[in-house]
């Protein structure tokens, strides 16, 4: 079983991935965690690291290639990242988690310890930066949701509810 979980920053992809890892004992690879870790190693915030990735495409390509390589060969894995649904060719289920920028910015503000207005500005800047890179590097329109089997609004449902929806999808495939 290979499941991709994608969505914009703060939508709840990591929470859903953690739920599925715990419930189904899947392993996980997360582009977001790798990206955040690299930003921290470079001592910059996510927006600044996104700008670095914009001029040094090796940053994105390294993260994406590694995630694709691992995701396509391991079984029982959750591949979490904005491009995962577009890039993991042999995924069994592709999920997009959605929420408004306002909702996501509150979550990011809490997670990153920044004020909500700054979170809105950084989130929009980050999304624009990423969308440009994805189109430039891979000709992917990140707003094209056609690769996804499930599109779920995390503003409406919590992680347990979303997890139950995905659990039903997993059960349907396993039959």
């Amino acid at each position: 079983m290979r499941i991709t979980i994608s969505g914009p920053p703060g939508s709840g992809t990591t929470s859903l991935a953690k739920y599925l890892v715990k419930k189904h004992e899947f392993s996980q690879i997360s582009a977001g965690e790798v990206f955040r870790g690299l930003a921290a190693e470079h001592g910059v915030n996510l927006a600044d690291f996104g700008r670095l990735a914009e001029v040094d495409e090796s940053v994105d390509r390294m993260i994406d290639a590694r995630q694709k390589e691992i995701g396509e060969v391991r079984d029982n894995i959750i591949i979490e990242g904005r491009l995962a649904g577009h890039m993991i060719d042999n995924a069994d289920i592709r999920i997009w988690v959605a929420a408004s920028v306002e909702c996501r910015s509150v979550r990011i503000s809490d997670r990153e310890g920044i004020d909500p207005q700054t979170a809105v500005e950084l989130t929009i800047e980050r999304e624009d930066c990423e969308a440009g890179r994805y189109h430039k590097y891979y000709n992917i329109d990140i707003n094209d949701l056609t690769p996804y089997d499930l599109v779920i609004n995390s503003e409406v449902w919590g992680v347990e509810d979303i997890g139950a929806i995905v659990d039903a999808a997993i059960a349907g495939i396993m039959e």
Side-chain angles (χ1 to χ4, degrees), residues 1-5 68 71-72 74 77 79 84-95 147-149 173:
M1 177 70 58
R2 288 179 191 87
I3 300 173
T4 68
I5 302 176
K68 182 175 174 62
E72 288 186 344
R74 283 194 194 162
I77 188 167
I79 306 102
H86 287 270
M87 296 187 81
I88 305 299
D89 295 328
N90 59 352
D92 297 295
I93 303 173
R94 291 174 176 85
I95 302 165
Y148 298 95
D149 304 302
I173 286 177

Side-chain angles (χ1 to χ4, degrees), residues 25-44:
E25 298 181 354
F26 292 135
S27 61
Q28 175 186 359
I29 182 163
S30 164
E33 288 176 17
V34 171
F35 191 88
R36 282 192 290 275
L38 288 171
E41 286 176 24
H42 285 83
V44 297

Side-chain angles (χ1 to χ4, degrees), residues 29-140:
I29 182 163
S30 164
E33 288 176 17
V34 171
F35 191 88
R36 282 192 290 275
L38 288 171
E41 286 176 24
H42 285 83
V44 297
N45 67 34
L46 296 177
D48 288 342
F49 196 62
R51 284 189 286 276
L52 172 64
E54 207 168 53
V55 297
D56 181 359
E57 69 182 68
S58 69
V59 173
D60 276 329
R61 291 192 182 275
M62 175 185 63
I63 293 168
D64 299 336
R66 181 69 175 142
Q67 188 176 39
K68 182 175 174 62
E69 174 189 331
I70 293 169
E72 288 186 344
V73 298
R74 283 194 194 162
D75 292 325
N76 299 320
I77 188 167
I78 303 296
I79 306 102
E80 181 204 355
R82 262 170 292 296
L83 293 179
H86 287 270
M87 296 187 81
I88 305 299
D89 295 328
N90 59 352
D92 297 295
I93 303 173
R94 291 174 176 85
I95 302 165
W96 181 266
V97 182
S100 70
V101 70
E102 294 80 14
C103 174
R104 295 182 292 108
S105 294
V106 169
R107 294 172 182 169
I108 292 167
S109 171
D110 292 343
R111 180 180 72 205
E112 305 292 333
I114 57 178
D115 74 270
Q117 185 55 42
T118 300
V120 169
E121 294 164 6
L122 291 175
T123 299
I124 291 170
E125 180 181 353
R126 178 180 173 194
E127 288 178 29
D128 290 345
C129 176
E130 289 174 349
R133 291 195 324 268
Y134 302 154
H135 189 266
K136 176 183 173 186
Y137 301 162
Y138 307 112
N139 198 30
I140 290 174

